[in-house]
Amino acid sequence: MKLECLHSLYSISPPWNLSLGSELTKSSSKVLKHVEKGVTCCLKSKKTSVEDEKQGVGSTTKKKTRIIDLKVSPHRAVSAVRLMRIEYGGAFADLLNKKGKGSRANEMGYVERTLGFRTRKLDDRDLRLVTDVVGGAIRWRRYLDHLIVSLCNDESTFRSMEPLLLQILRIGFYEILKLDMPPYAVVDENVRLAKVALRPGAGNMVNGILRRLVVLKENDSLPLPKVEGNDRMQARALATLYSHPVWMVRRWIKYIGIEDAISLMMWNNSDPSFSLRANTAKGFARSDLVKRLEKLQVPHELSPYLDDFVRITTGMQNVIQAGLLKEGLCSVQDESTGLVVSVVDPQPGDTIIDCCAAPGGKTLFMASRLRHQGMVCAVDINEGRLRILEETAKLHEVDDVISTVHADVRIYAEKNTVKYDKVLLDAPCSGLGVLSKRADLRWNRRLEDMEQLKNLQDQLLDASSNLVKPGGILVYSTCSIDPGENEERVAAFLQRHTEFRIDSASGYVPSDFVTESGFCSTSPVKHAVDGSFAARLLRSL
């Protein structure tokens, strides 16, 4: 994937309007088709065939049969297939977990196409379990795999394990170790899934490994590494215990110390919370949002930092199904992104350009702050997401102040002669500040990516600076907590562009977020929001 497209991919603004139809790549489809072939031929005679569909009236009837196994746990079957789609099909965990209304039938359709059978229908409890199991199994993957390898007694057995069998084991391990489900039920139902979806021998293997895990847990003798030895050995042990890539752990220990690194990993492994922004542009105040949440019996609390934001930890499905997002009354937006908009400080009459705008969370918030006076030009290289932004702008009733441009901002800045009061560059980044919400992101990043990203960030900063009018403001922001992408990029930029200087974020955001250098920085552990960075840079007259 080209780095020019990284911003749209890495952004974790609300994905609720996105289609999931193109999640599977050609190569990943081959993997899933291979799995389908392997499981279809192993279907058992105990399954019940039912007539699903009849076509034609008064003519020859065509029958399509579906194979149903009512004894297989639906949440485990769906979880196994979701995990396959994420690891081998390129799907994103946050999109899959938040599809909302209509997802039950879609998920069972994927189960049927992948495993060759259907289970009973998913109920609300099943859907919640799917979200918990999938998110948890991804977050704790390194930890779970370490234990699976240990209980296999042979690493080659683990390395050659069928993808579906491995997902079933991960589910069983997570349910026993982290969800504290009744061990007998977990063993019995995951064994049944393995036997039905694969073959009896696979079920026997799952049975033996899970039973050994139960004994080890009960005896408090799990084979886990000890944090000892040199720095590298300690980092490897911590990476296993808290399930993160070793390179991330070593980097965090270097920058913030071992204790804060552990706290950060614990935050990343916790259940994510979300914030809703009331759409005041549509005359829907935060007090109106609170009333609707109370009516829906969704637990919530007011943001201590931003007037339009409300925090929720559970009940997102209720919000989606009640139509609050679909009606444009609110949007899902983390407070960290709202603070970036506060650093920009949009005022009625301002001309603003958002250089990497899609999917548009910050664009929409800035537009609402203009109160129908001024303009926000949204530029992005991803044309499809720009179309979604345009549709959402109409829904939020801010399309009168938003225009979109499909372009690479590096090329756009060379050809464009218009200068703006305020320029926002929310740059493509590693996303290391949003790992609690993007469970799969930690496994999709490499240390090598950091250098490529820093080069791209420098190029985008140089281009964006050309769009700032004399006396105007350039805001550089990321959803990363890494100094290499944040403070170091600003320092390098100021060396190249002496016409800019730091304009302190003090006065635009609460003082708790302002660093000694005048930047806005949010900490997941300290502030209970996503990690982010924003620098406000003033161009001389």
Side-chain angles (χ1 to χ4, degrees):
M1 181 172 293
K2 294 182 179 180
L3 282 174
E4 289 87 345
C5 301
L6 288 175
H7 178 77
S8 295
L9 174 60
Y10 290 172
S11 175
I12 48 80
S13 296
W16 318 122
N17 295 324
L18 302 182
S19 169
L20 294 171
S22 60
E23 287 168 351
L24 299 179
T25 62
K26 291 182 180 179
S27 60
S28 60
S29 296
K30 291 180 180 178
V31 173
L32 293 181
K33 287 178 180 178
H34 175 72
V35 174
E36 291 172 15
K37 291 179 180 179
V39 297
T40 301
C41 64
C42 296
L43 296 174
K44 302 302 164 189
S45 59
K46 67 177 181 180
K47 298 171 187 169
T48 306
S49 296
V50 295
E51 184 178 308
D52 176 70
E53 184 179 353
K54 293 184 178 181
Q55 298 177 346
V57 178
S59 61
T60 303
T61 300
K62 295 182 179 180
K63 295 183 180 181
K64 181 181 178 182
T65 59
R66 283 180 175 168
I67 299 181
I68 298 179
D69 193 309
L70 299 178
K71 293 183 179 180
V72 172
S73 166
H75 91 258
R76 291 180 176 90
V78 170
S79 295
V81 172
R82 275 199 186 187
L83 289 169
M84 292 283 287
R85 292 168 64 197
I86 292 165
E87 187 165 356
Y88 302 102
F92 297 108
D94 56 341
L95 299 186
L96 292 175
N97 282 337
K98 305 298 177 187
K99 287 194 296 182
K101 203 168 184 178
S103 64
R104 304 164 202 252
N106 293 336
E107 293 297 343
M108 200 52 66
Y110 275 109
V111 169
E112 183 177 26
R113 289 191 292 275
T114 306
L115 304 184
F117 63 89
R118 285 183 170 240
T119 72
R120 64 172 173 81
K121 294 181 179 178
L122 292 164
D123 57 25
D124 289 340
R125 179 178 177 276
D126 291 324
L127 281 175
R128 289 192 295 270
L129 281 172
V130 168
T131 299
D132 290 344
V133 169
V134 170
I138 294 171
R139 287 187 184 91
W140 290 98
R141 191 173 85 186
R142 183 182 180 93
Y143 173 85
L144 299 175
D145 286 358
H146 169 83
L147 291 172
I148 294 172
V149 171
S150 299
L151 271 62
C152 283
N153 294 327
D154 181 3
E155 187 169 345
S156 63
T157 301
F158 174 82
R159 299 300 173 196
S160 61
M161 194 174 290
E162 295 159 282
L164 180 59
L165 178 57
L166 177 57
Q167 306 305 339
I168 294 172
L169 283 172
R170 286 171 176 167
I171 291 169
F173 272 57
Y174 180 73
E175 290 177 333
I176 290 171
L177 296 173
K178 298 297 181 180
L179 293 184
D180 289 323
M181 289 186 174
Y184 65 88
V186 174
V187 174
D188 182 60
E189 297 199 18
N190 280 290
V191 167
R192 181 178 293 117
L193 175 58
K195 286 183 175 180
V196 173
L198 291 168
R199 59 193 174 279
N204 294 337
M205 183 177 184
V206 171
N207 181 65
I209 293 176
L210 289 183
R211 286 185 181 277
R212 279 197 284 172
L213 175 68
V214 172
V215 172
L216 290 172
K217 183 190 177 187
E218 290 175 348
N219 294 333
D220 194 22
S221 57
L222 294 173
L224 295 172
K226 294 181 179 180
V227 183
E228 58 187 13
N230 58 32
D231 292 347
R232 182 182 293 271
M233 293 173 64
Q234 289 185 43
R236 291 189 67 84
L238 289 170
T240 296
L241 292 172
Y242 296 98
S243 196
H244 280 71
V246 176
W247 74 265
M248 283 187 192
V249 179
R250 296 192 69 187
R251 199 169 181 89
W252 290 334
I253 291 175
K254 173 184 175 182
Y255 284 123
I256 62 178
I258 192 168
E259 290 185 5
D260 285 347
I262 290 173
S263 296
L264 177 59
M265 288 187 286
M266 291 175 65
W267 167 268
N268 292 341
N269 288 334
S270 64
D271 292 332
S273 58
F274 296 91
S275 294
L276 300 174
R277 176 178 66 83
N279 182 17
T280 56
K282 209 164 184 175
F284 192 72
R286 180 166 72 171
S287 58
D288 298 318
L289 177 57
V290 167
K291 290 178 183 177
R292 294 291 291 271
L293 293 176
E294 289 174 346
K295 187 176 181 180
L296 293 171
Q297 297 183 332
V298 173
H300 60 276
E301 61 178 283
L302 302 182
S303 165
Y305 310 122
L306 295 161
D307 292 339
D308 299 336
F309 286 68
V310 176
R311 296 177 174 181
I312 67 172
T313 53
T314 61
M316 182 60 74
Q317 290 294 333
N318 293 342
V319 173
I320 295 172
Q321 294 177 10
L324 294 179
L325 304 179
K326 189 176 181 180
E327 294 171 24
L329 299 177
C330 66
S331 58
V332 182
Q333 189 165 16
D334 192 80
E335 291 162 81
S336 63
T337 68
L339 290 166
V340 171
V341 171
S342 295
V343 173
V344 177
D345 189 36
Q347 296 294 323
D350 280 345
T351 58
I352 304 172
I353 184 167
D354 191 347
C355 294
C356 294
K362 296 180 184 71
T363 306
L364 296 169
F365 190 18
M366 289 191 294
S368 72
R369 296 271 290 265
L370 293 183
R371 300 176 186 173
H372 304 287
Q373 301 175 52
M375 181 266 287
V376 180
C377 177
V379 179
D380 201 89
I381 199 168
N382 190 314
E383 187 174 15
R385 286 200 166 188
L386 275 180
R387 285 197 295 269
I388 293 172
L389 172 55
E390 292 171 353
E391 294 169 2
T392 309
K394 292 178 181 178
L395 180 66
H396 283 226
E397 297 181 1
V398 292
D399 54 307
D400 59 329
V401 293
I402 291 180
S403 61
T404 60
V405 176
H406 174 224
D408 183 327
V409 73
R410 292 171 294 183
I411 299 173
Y412 178 79
E414 289 180 359
K415 300 179 178 180
N416 186 63
T417 58
V418 178
K419 307 297 181 182
Y420 296 83
D421 298 317
K422 291 163 184 174
V423 176
L424 171 61
L425 172 61
D426 183 35
C429 69
S430 63
L432 295 183
V434 299
L435 297 184
S436 69
K437 288 187 174 68
R438 283 292 308 276
D440 53 327
L441 194 59
R442 70 187 71 177
W443 310 120
N444 297 331
R445 293 290 176 268
R446 301 174 304 161
L447 181 58
E448 294 79 11
D449 296 336
M450 303 298 286
E451 289 303 317
Q452 291 179 290
L453 282 167
K454 286 190 285 187
N455 291 335
L456 176 61
Q457 290 155 359
D458 287 343
Q459 294 172 24
L460 292 172
L461 261 171
D462 290 342
S464 300
S465 68
N466 292 327
L467 299 170
V468 185
K469 66 171 54 174
I473 293 293
L474 169 62
V475 173
Y476 170 74
S477 70
T478 72
C479 58
S480 174
I481 56 174
D482 194 278
E485 298 182 272
N486 298 334
E487 292 90 347
E488 292 178 16
R489 299 279 55 75
V490 173
F493 171 78
L494 292 177
Q495 285 186 341
R496 298 192 303 272
H497 296 269
T498 56
E499 71 274 23
F500 283 87
R501 65 175 177 83
I502 297 171
D503 186 31
S504 177
S506 178
Y508 299 99
V509 296
S511 59
D512 196 37
F513 298 104
V514 182
T515 70
E516 291 182 1
S517 300
F519 303 133
C520 175
S521 178
T522 62
S523 164
V525 176
K526 183 179 179 181
H527 303 121
V529 300
D530 287 343
S532 70
F533 173 87
R536 183 179 166 94
L537 307 172
L538 175 65
R539 182 166 193 165
S540 58
L541 292 171

